[in-house]
Amino acid sequence: MCTNTEITAKNGEHFWGRTMDLALPMFGEDPEHDLGARGMITTIPAGVDIDSQLANWQADYAAMGIGIGGTLILFDGINEHGLAGDLQVLFESTADTLENIQQRQQVPVMNTEFVTYVLTHFKSVKEIRENYQNFAVVDQPTMLNGHSISFPLHYSFVDESGDGVALEPVDNGSFKLYNSVGVVTNSPEYNWHTVNLRNYIALNDLNIKQPKTYKNGVTLNPIEGGTGYRLTGLPGTYTSPDRLVRSANLMDDFEAKDGIAQLYAAFRPVIIPRGMERNTSEDILSDYTRYWSGYDLKQRKVYIQTGRGMAITAKCLNQTATTISFDEVDTGNYIHEI
């Protein structure tokens, strides 16, 4: 389970972020089950060689994001041109054999490496639209510290202009492209979500203040001054359809200087506490929000808060870096006491 959202400041600057909801530990929460994976901020300079598990490539553009230390897998990130994107689970996703993909004259890609591939190859969503049909996901699992892992994934990307798309490999590994409504979650496929969203287009943020008169002259006033009445029917569970609808609603205009704070506030209704969901009662691991990350697309800057504490780690993309680097994420639980 994951959610991403894009918001726009008064001056047109764009902010984008995501929750990573996962049952696997990422920040030392449970070392016995983390497969040796540690979530870190990864910086990939332009011009470096990317050591792929499929076919190596050279990075055309510098990129930075949240990934697994010691690997070049990015769960989400941003590049030097302000293009940002992420991967999320989509159960309807597909893959195909290397031979079939090559016969179709497409470029095979590993699904866990696709965000890294896009951010190091493309400058804008426009370029993605022009090239996405050239790629297909190969049916090869990812090896991580001797473990074979496989997730069904889809992707979304947004650039500094606010243009955004969702890419879903649902056709034998080939992608379908959808224009984003500014929010992307998980299954079902994105066209189902946009149809479902039509059920909620009447919702708005204006409170009802006026009383209403019923039959026989009975007049009733709104409870609590009508607070939130026109959001009645807004879904409240942590399922992907409900998270998408809940994240697609209105917020106040805001200044760019307040963008990250406003973005974080937008995610509060979809940040999942630990223990809210398990596959079975015997499961030790809980599918919850392992981290929230927010990106200032103009500043090329990431902010990340883990599920372990309240500390936020921030970093700007270093476009002059020459070597790949990995930075630890602060998992502390700092509180300013007065």
Side-chain angles (χ1 to χ4, degrees), residues 5-19:
T5 299
E6 182 271 327
I7 62 174
T8 307
K10 290 180 181 179
N11 67 353
E13 292 183 27
H14 298 276
F15 299 83
W16 173 87
R18 63 90 51 86
T19 56

Side-chain angles (χ1 to χ4, degrees), residues 11-16 78-84 159-161 256 260 295-301 316-317 319:
N11 67 353
E13 292 183 27
H14 298 276
F15 299 83
W16 173 87
I78 190 168
N79 72 11
E80 62 182 274
H81 295 284
L83 176 67
D159 62 28
E160 199 175 358
S161 74
I260 291 298
Y295 289 82
D296 183 327
L297 300 192
K298 181 178 180 181
Q299 300 297 325
R300 320 294 197 251
K301 189 171 185 178
C316 280
L317 172 60
Q319 299 184 38

